[in-house]
């Protein structure tokens, strides 16, 4: 029996939050270093000693990295990709033959079976040769068909699709729509049951890999029907199915080789056995996939940081001003120090989170989200500083530099390419809210009913009793801790090395202060806490800095113990922690001394037109057309731009 296709859903703000809440993982079955950190508990034992990969994983991973490096150096022409705004087909074919499509897919399905650690190292390497190729491989394996099938697919689905994904089939993930971004409750694409099939109708926007994809993961709304509860549901869809049209290949300020488009579905039949998981489980599948999938972007940010450091070192040692290399001038030297220290810390964060993902002993949903948030923000800052260090040459394109006889350094391209990472897979603003929700989960678990307007007095009374017991035990523990005891963490002050133990004591003290600040805010604002996005963003940013400091210190000690540049690692960790502590202190100050209230008033004035006079004196070069393109379901009127690579 066929269900009736619904109109685009109209949802309230509260309904949208309920959809998002239902999709998140509700339980914490494994320990989480970052979750404990936000609760004021510095669980160094969860990350130190630094977890290590198995010897066989290292052997296989290093062997593949060697082959991939050779391929990058010989076969990838990043300048050509930038110039032609397209990855050459022969380059993609070479990646397929190398096995790069199956880095994370188990060997029994034809993949390489690399660990998360080596998958991320591979992305950093290939992304340094061409960020567009890094994006293609990441979108295919981190959020495309392989990862959700690995976690949620049936054995039949794995047997059917994973061998293709490992060797020949490029995949894409389709969630976003012209009028739906990070608010999936308004998802308009529908999948209507019809016999043994579902019939898909709708339009998807910003479909990374969608222009060249062979297989798609599509999120669509199934209406409630006889025999099914409906809801947002995930499907594997053949990209060449009748009724699918790639209507447009999008062009961007960066990642010019990105095969990203607009895809329309018109009466596309998808067999029911290609549904991933149950009806209504689509968003949970997407969020669970991203728990580790989010590590791919910061991995490529690590690669960007390493390249920025290399160019900064080489250039600033050659370029002279006022009788000395520019690196010797303090204003430039501070920028180089920031790039070096931040690259070290960011690699520490990504490697630690990746190894924790491989071991599967900890819940890393917050750690992965922090890595994505921190990596994308800091990489943009590093690239911007490199452009500044290079001066006019940093603003000049690589082709122009080469044309007049200088080294073709694509610094401005790096800045453009990295900018999207602050938006990809959850914008910085959305990541702040997502992480903040997880950070206050313990509070909402015991006291959520107290601030829920829909709960009656009886429920509030029960919540009050639970909260009283929880806070009676928890709050006293935030008063004192190991961070106030001189000599704590003495293993981080080995003979002849910089002393990192004060930084870890600072992290411990700051974690307790962070938890107290969160509690004070919840007591003050209660149900309005969710509207205090400025405050929540600063809370998360403090947590990100504390996590990065912890990871940097643990990595430095690991490198010292293994005899691998230990002295230099301690110096870099010390520099990073000192820089990070300055940022943390500023963020703590801005928790309570800020312009948030005034900003809201100014925004209200802007939206009401109060300040429209300020816009006078310019012309608007924007073209005509609607702000949001029409996405009404129906047949396509465009030529199909789908371009599978065979």
């Amino acid at each position: 029996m066929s269900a009736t296709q619904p109109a685009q859903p109209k949802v309230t703000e509260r309904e949208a939050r309920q959809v998002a809440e239902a999709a998140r993982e509700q339980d914490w079955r494994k320990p989480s270093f970052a979750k404990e950190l936000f609760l004021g508990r510095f669980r160094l034992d969860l990350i130190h000693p630094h977890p290590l990969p198995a010897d066989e994983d290292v052997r296989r991973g290093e062997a593949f990295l060697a082959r991939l490096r050779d391929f990058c150096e010989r076969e990838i022409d990043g300048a050509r990709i930038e110039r032609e705004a397209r990855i050459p087909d022969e380059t993609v074919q070479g990646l397929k033959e190398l096995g790069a499509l199956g880095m994370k897919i188990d060997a029994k399905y034809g993949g390489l079976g690399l660990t998360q650690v080596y998958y991320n190292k591979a992305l950093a390497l290939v992304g340094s040769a061409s960020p567009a190729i890094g994006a293609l491989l990441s979108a295919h394996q981190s959020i495309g068909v392989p990862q959700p099938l690995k976690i949620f697919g049936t054995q039949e689905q794995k047997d059917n699709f994973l061998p293709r994904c490992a060797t020949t089939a490029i995949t894409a993930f389709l969630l976003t729509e012209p009028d739906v971004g990070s608010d999936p409750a308004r998802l308009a694409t529908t999948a209507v049951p019809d016999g043994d099939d579902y019939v898909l109708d709708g339009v998807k926007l910003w479909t990374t890999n969608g222009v060249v994809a062979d297989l798609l993961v599509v999120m669509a709304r199934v209406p409630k029907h006889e025999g099914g509860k409906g809801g947002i549901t995930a499907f594997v869809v053949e990209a060449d199915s009748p009724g699918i049209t790639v209507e447009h290949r999008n062009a961007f300020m960066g990642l010019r080789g990105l095969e990203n488009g607009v895809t329309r579905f018109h009466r596309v039949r998808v067999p029911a056995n290609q549904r991933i998981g149950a009806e209504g489980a689509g968003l949970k599948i997407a969020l669970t996939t991203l728990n580790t999938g989010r590590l791919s972007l910061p991995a490529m940010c690590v690669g960007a940081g390493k390249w920025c450091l290399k160019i900064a070192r080489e250039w600033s040692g050659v370029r002279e001003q006022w009788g000395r290399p520019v690196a010797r001038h303090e204003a430039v030297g501070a920028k180089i120090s920031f790039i070096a220290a931040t690259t070290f810390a960011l690699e520490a964060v990504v490697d630690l989170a990746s190894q924790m993902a491989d071991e599967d002993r900890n819940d890393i949903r917050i750690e992965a989200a922090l890595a994505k948030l921190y990596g994308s923000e800091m990489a943009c800052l590093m690239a911007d500083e490199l452009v500044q260090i290079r001066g006019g040459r940093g603003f000049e394109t690589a082709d122009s530099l080469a044309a007049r006889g200088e080294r073709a350094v694509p610094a401005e391209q790096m800045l453009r390419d990295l900018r999207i990472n602050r938006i990809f897979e959850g914008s910085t603003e959305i990541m702040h809210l997502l992480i903040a929700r997880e950070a206050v989960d313990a509070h909402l678990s015991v006291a959520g009913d107290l601030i829920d307007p829909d709960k009656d007095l009886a429920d509030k009374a029960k919540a009050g009793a639970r909260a009283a017991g929880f806070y009676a035990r928890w709050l006293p523990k935030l008063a004192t801790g190991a961070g106030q005891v001189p000599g704590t963490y003495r293993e981080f002050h080995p003979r002849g090395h910089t002393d990192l133990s004060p930084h870890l004591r600072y992290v411990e003290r700051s974690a307790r202060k962070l938890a107290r600040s969160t509690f004070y805010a919840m007591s003050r604002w209660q149900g309005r806490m969710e509207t205090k996005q400025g405050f929540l963003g600063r809370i998360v940013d403090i947590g990100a800095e504390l996590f990065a400091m912890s990871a940097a210190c643990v990595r430095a000690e690991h490198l010292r113990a293994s005899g691998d540049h230990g002295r230099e690692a301690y110096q870099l960790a010390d520099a990073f922690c000192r820089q990070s502590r300055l940022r943390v202190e500023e963020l703590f100050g801005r928790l309570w001394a800020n312009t948030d209230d005034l900003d809201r008033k100014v925004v209200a004035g802007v939206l009401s037109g109060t300040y429209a006079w300020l816009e006078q004196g310019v012309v608007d070069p924007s073209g005509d057309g609607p702000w949001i393109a029409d996405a009404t379901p129906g047949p396509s009127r465009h030529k199909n731009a789908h371009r599978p690579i065979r």
Side-chain angles (χ1 to χ4, degrees):
M1 179 177 179
S2 176
T4 302
Q5 179 174 311
Q8 179 165 342
K10 302 293 184 182
V11 296
T12 65
E13 181 179 356
R14 181 172 181 80
E15 289 170 337
R17 289 198 301 270
Q18 288 173 339
V19 169
E21 182 66 17
R24 62 177 288 273
E25 293 182 66
Q26 304 292 325
D27 300 321
W28 294 85
R29 301 182 182 87
K30 300 174 183 176
S32 165
F33 173 80
K35 176 177 178 287
E36 294 293 305
L37 197 67
F38 281 108
L39 284 171
R41 300 190 284 251
F42 181 47
R43 292 286 308 278
L44 185 61
D45 60 295
L46 293 178
I47 60 173
H48 173 67
H50 195 293
L52 297 175
D55 291 343
E56 177 59 20
D57 291 335
V58 173
R59 186 194 65 77
R60 288 188 298 109
E62 293 293 339
F64 176 72
L65 287 181
R67 297 194 301 273
L68 181 61
R69 174 176 288 278
D70 182 63
F71 181 86
C72 289
E73 292 175 342
R74 290 187 302 102
E75 304 296 338
I76 295 179
D77 186 345
R80 177 186 174 187
I81 294 171
E82 174 70 6
R83 190 164 50 249
E84 298 179 357
R86 176 166 292 177
I87 302 170
D89 288 2
E90 60 269 24
T91 302
V92 177
Q93 292 291 5
L95 290 167
K96 291 181 179 181
E97 294 167 8
L98 192 65
L101 293 189
M103 289 187 285
K104 284 192 69 180
I105 298 175
D106 196 285
K108 67 182 178 183
Y109 299 112
L112 299 179
L114 297 185
T115 62
Q116 186 73 39
V117 168
Y118 277 98
Y119 170 66
N120 285 338
K121 289 182 182 294
L123 287 179
L125 176 60
V126 76
S128 67
S130 168
I133 293 179
L136 181 146
L137 295 176
S138 171
H140 163 65
Q141 290 173 88
S142 297
I143 58 174
V145 172
Q147 190 68 9
L149 283 193
K150 175 183 176 180
I151 304 173
F152 297 99
T154 65
Q155 191 59 52
E156 179 186 6
Q157 290 171 339
K158 294 176 183 178
D159 293 339
N160 187 24
F161 295 115
L162 289 184
R164 292 171 58 191
C165 295
T167 54
T168 59
I170 296 172
T171 71
F173 173 76
L174 279 61
L175 171 63
T176 304
E177 298 177 359
D179 199 27
V180 178
S182 299
D183 180 13
R186 299 173 58 249
L187 201 74
T189 297
T190 58
V192 179
D194 187 15
D196 293 331
D197 298 334
Y198 289 85
V199 180
L200 268 62
D201 282 278
V203 178
K204 294 294 185 180
L205 176 62
W206 296 324
T207 60
T208 298
N209 288 358
V211 178
V212 298
D214 303 289
L215 289 170
L216 313 171
V217 175
V218 181
M219 295 291 170
R221 181 183 300 278
V222 176
K224 188 174 182 179
H225 60 100
E226 184 179 338
K229 68 174 184 178
I232 297 174
T233 306
F235 300 88
V236 178
V237 182
E238 298 281 356
D240 61 357
S241 300
I244 297 181
T245 305
V246 177
E247 296 190 330
H248 180 69
R249 182 182 186 268
N250 302 319
F252 302 100
M253 67 180 283
L255 292 182
R256 287 172 49 79
L258 196 68
E259 297 290 352
N260 178 294
V262 177
T263 302
R264 178 177 291 270
F265 297 85
H266 177 58
R267 299 177 183 172
V268 178
R269 302 193 73 86
V270 180
N273 62 10
Q274 290 179 206
R275 186 189 71 217
I276 308 175
E279 288 183 1
L283 288 183
K284 185 178 290 290
I285 289 171
L287 290 177
T288 303
T289 298
L290 282 172
N291 279 347
T292 54
R294 282 200 174 96
L295 291 173
S296 62
L297 288 185
M300 288 184 282
C301 290
V302 170
K306 289 173 177 287
W307 181 82
C308 288
L309 181 59
K310 178 180 184 294
I311 297 301
R313 172 179 59 82
E314 294 176 348
W315 164 250
S316 60
V318 172
R319 175 62 165 167
E320 290 190 358
Q321 290 282 278
W322 299 299
R324 56 166 51 174
V326 294
R328 300 297 182 183
H329 292 284
E330 193 172 87
V332 174
K335 299 180 187 301
I336 297 172
S337 175
F338 166 74
I339 293 173
T342 304
T343 298
F344 177 82
L346 186 51
E347 185 171 40
V349 165
V350 173
D351 276 6
L352 178 61
S354 299
Q355 187 58 44
M356 290 164 68
D358 286 331
E359 290 189 340
D360 199 28
R361 288 190 295 111
N362 295 330
D363 187 323
I364 67 158
R365 75 182 86 160
I366 300 181
E367 287 84 348
L370 287 172
K372 189 276 177 187
L373 168 70
Y374 198 71
S376 59
E377 290 291 325
M378 300 307 274
C380 277
L381 289 176
M382 288 190 286
D384 188 65
E385 294 288 41
L386 176 64
V387 168
Q388 191 70 17
I389 290 169
R390 287 275 289 162
R393 290 172 174 85
F395 194 65
E396 191 173 359
T397 67
D399 279 350
S400 178
L401 289 165
R404 60 181 185 79
E406 293 193 1
R407 184 177 298 185
V409 178
E412 61 83 29
Q413 180 193 335
M414 178 63 73
L415 184 58
R416 289 187 287 107
D417 288 343
L418 284 171
R419 184 59 181 82
I420 187 58
N421 290 339
R422 296 176 61 201
I423 301 171
F424 262 168
E425 296 181 17
S427 68
T428 292
E429 294 72 25
I430 293 300
M431 296 305 297
H432 276 150
L433 298 181
L434 183 152
I435 298 168
R437 172 61 186 87
E438 300 296 351
V440 301
D441 184 56
H443 300 283
L444 293 179
S445 295
V446 299
D449 287 354
L450 279 173
I451 59 177
D452 188 338
D454 291 341
K455 297 297 182 180
D456 58 27
L457 290 177
D459 290 330
K460 290 181 182 294
K462 293 177 182 177
R466 288 196 306 270
F470 172 79
Y471 290 119
R473 296 187 302 272
W474 178 68
L475 283 172
K477 296 178 181 179
L478 300 182
T480 61
Q484 293 168 287
V485 181
T488 311
Y489 312 119
R490 66 178 68 251
E491 66 267 35
F492 287 86
H493 187 197
R495 183 185 300 272
H497 287 70
T498 303
D499 188 1
L500 297 182
S501 62
H503 300 311
L504 292 176
R505 290 196 290 273
Y506 177 84
V507 172
E508 196 277 338
R509 295 194 305 273
S510 297
R512 288 186 282 111
K513 182 177 179 180
L514 184 65
R516 291 195 302 269
S517 299
T518 304
F519 173 74
Y520 297 155
M522 291 193 67
S523 301
R524 176 178 176 180
W525 292 313
Q526 299 185 28
R528 293 184 295 128
M529 180 78 162
E530 64 188 20
T531 69
K532 303 297 180 179
Q533 296 179 4
F535 178 91
L536 292 173
R538 294 176 200 112
I539 286 287
V540 169
D541 286 340
I542 293 169
E545 294 283 1
L546 298 181
F547 177 40
M549 290 173 65
S550 305
C553 291
V554 168
R555 180 176 179 81
E557 172 57 17
H558 162 62
L559 293 178
R560 185 204 65 80
S562 63
D564 190 7
H565 305 292
R567 188 178 305 278
E568 297 83 3
Y570 258 68
Q571 292 171 348
L572 288 170
D574 181 50
F576 173 77
C577 288
R578 290 177 185 273
Q579 295 169 10
S580 179
R581 287 170 68 162
L582 294 176
R583 294 190 291 267
V584 169
E585 289 304 308
E586 180 185 359
L587 287 164
F588 268 127
R590 290 175 55 209
L591 286 179
W592 310 109
N594 52 64
T595 62
D596 292 350
D597 291 339
L598 178 59
D599 292 341
R600 280 190 288 273
K601 293 178 182 178
V602 171
V603 169
V606 169
L607 293 179
S608 67
T610 301
Y611 310 125
W613 52 269
L614 190 59
E615 301 164 11
Q616 296 174 6
V618 299
V619 294
D620 183 358
S622 306
D624 297 328
W627 287 103
I628 299 171
D630 180 31
T632 302
S636 179
R637 297 189 295 272
H638 298 262
K639 180 180 178 180
N640 194 353
H642 186 222
R643 187 180 63 83
I645 300 173
R646 304 299 185 203

